[in-house]
Amino acid sequence: MTPTASRLPLAFKLAYTAFVAVLVPTYWHHYGPGNFLYFCDLALLITGVAIWLESAVLVSACAVGILVPQVLWMLEFLLTGLGWPITGMTAYMYEPSIPWFTRFLSFFHFWQPPVLVWLLWRLGYDRRGLAVWWPIGWAAMTVSYLWLPPPPAPPDQPGLPVNVNFVFGLDGQGSQTWMPPHLYFCLLLVALPALLWWPSHWLLSRLPALKRPHP
């Protein structure tokens, strides 16, 4: 048995896998396959693979990609509940036409960040995470831009994935109009690595507690 083979408890691996096994068919049924192009959902699935492989590089990639966006999701959710939405990204959580259990599963946005940090503490941060996440993120954005619909979602399908990863604008209720769509998309391809992914990588790679695996 390798030194890292027991760094993650079997009970955790089974519980995480069971959650994903429930979420995937539920989301597929209510939202469709396009929903899995969201960075948070991609990270959820990749982390599921990472915990069985005990792969520091895959966990690091997910952390680089979604730690900051998840914090923004949580803030948006709370502000929407207070009646002060910013982007509308969490409006679906308050949509009564979407089954409550489907919305309940989306609370993984709250526990995913601390779970990733815990995994990094157990496995260590791998500096290759940025290089792994970058093409994954760009690929998800490109598919979302070319083949998924712009906002808003139709009234009869409030949970339909639209404006996935904000490729059409920062407002979930409509596409941006202050520049040509292709130009906005190209700027987003540059802005996310520069403003979110690289700074996350820089910070995680410098935290002493994440520089080596822990027993």
Side-chain angles (χ1 to χ4, degrees):
M1 185 175 293
T2 64
T4 60
S6 60
R7 292 196 184 278
L8 303 179
L10 178 60
F12 167 76
K13 295 179 179 180
L14 293 175
Y16 191 100
T17 303
F19 176 81
V20 172
V22 172
L23 179 140
V24 168
T26 303
Y27 271 24
W28 192 290
H29 174 72
H30 291 290
Y31 299 138
N35 198 83
F36 296 101
L37 288 173
Y38 280 111
F39 293 151
C40 52
D41 294 273
L42 276 174
L44 185 75
L45 299 179
I46 294 171
T47 301
V49 175
I51 63 175
W52 285 102
L53 298 178
E54 301 201 352
S55 170
V57 66
L58 289 180
V59 171
S60 300
C62 294
V64 163
I66 60 94
L67 280 181
V68 173
Q70 290 294 64
V71 172
L72 296 176
W73 188 98
M74 289 186 279
L75 178 62
E76 175 78 9
F77 173 79
L78 296 173
L79 290 175
T80 299
L82 295 173
W84 305 323
I86 300 174
T87 66
M89 76 168 82
T90 63
Y92 71 97
M93 291 292 288
Y94 297 92
E95 177 54 58
S97 63
I98 299 176
W100 72 267
F101 182 69
T102 304
R103 288 178 283 149
F104 172 77
L105 291 174
S106 290
F107 279 107
F108 80 83
H109 292 83
F110 279 89
W111 55 256
Q112 190 177 34
V115 164
L116 283 173
V117 172
W118 176 75
L119 288 171
L120 290 176
W121 182 77
R122 295 300 295 264
L123 301 175
Y125 179 74
D126 192 312
R127 294 180 61 87
R128 295 173 295 174
L130 176 62
V132 171
W133 179 262
W134 201 317
I136 292 174
W138 270 9
M141 294 167 66
T142 301
V143 174
S144 301
Y145 182 71
L146 294 178
W147 288 290
L148 294 185
D156 60 335
Q157 292 180 285
L160 182 71
V162 298
N163 197 25
V164 173
N165 300 319
F166 296 106
V167 294
F168 294 103
L170 300 179
D171 186 350
Q173 304 306 311
S175 300
Q176 63 83 29
T177 57
W178 41 283
M179 68 174 63
H182 291 344
L183 177 58
Y184 168 83
F185 177 67
C186 290
L187 288 176
L188 190 67
L189 289 176
V190 175
L192 287 184
L195 301 179
L196 294 182
W197 303 344
W198 187 87
S200 296
H201 160 75
W202 182 88
L203 177 61
L204 292 171
S205 64
R206 282 159 176 76
L207 292 176
L210 306 183
K211 287 190 175 181
R212 62 183 178 83
H214 290 73

